[in-house]
Amino acid sequence: MQRNTIRSIGVLSASICVLCALSAAQADPVSLVATQDPTVNSTFTLDFGVYGGPRQANITTTTYALETDAVGGTARFTSYFQTVDPIELPGGISTGDITVTIQESLPGPYDPVTGLFTTQDVYLIYFAGDLTPFGLTSPVALPGSAGGTIAYTSATGGSIVSAWDGVGQLQNPSDPQNPINFTYNCNTSTTFTVVPEPATLALLGLAALGARRRRD
């Protein structure tokens, strides 16, 4: 009976260790690994104002990792990859296929209660077409601000509705003294899974190992 009591105490201690590790994991930053939701239309829009108005293309692929820190109240992208259909620029010139990555993402505010987040980023826009008439060579760096809402549907996943936008300028081939100003907007819907940070994974691994040893 004494042996069973000692064994029970060991299992209880192991359980407490695991619970403590899980509690610590919840306090650590987590990475939300997101992929585009095929059931929702995601779009990229360039608005050239008097030079042709808005031009919109479908986003065909989106994958990114968004790191959230519930305790610190911050969020930032740690990776970003997106493909977009060609967009026609003023004068009928096509961008060709577009690829978007992220050069820099600065932490912005994140509210774990509402799921609202904001980041300040620099996006790299790669294009397959010849845009030298506009003074552009691939890639083009565009600064912008991203924001959206994270909605958990389980402890390990959910959805994100987000948008990033900003402004830019093109060289005007027909009137070099008057550049073409434009705004841009990217609207994306994704689903995500939660990936703990490496330190959290290590902590959980140690707790599980301790639990197995105590059970044995």
Side-chain angles (χ1 to χ4, degrees), residues 73 109-117:
Y110 165 58
D111 185 340
V113 176
T114 63
L116 296 175
F117 73 93

Side-chain angles (χ1 to χ4, degrees), residues 12-24 204 207-211 215:
L12 177 60
S13 298
S15 300
I16 292 173
C17 287
V18 171
L19 288 174
C20 289
L22 288 172
S23 178
L204 291 173
L209 179 61
R215 283 196 297 270

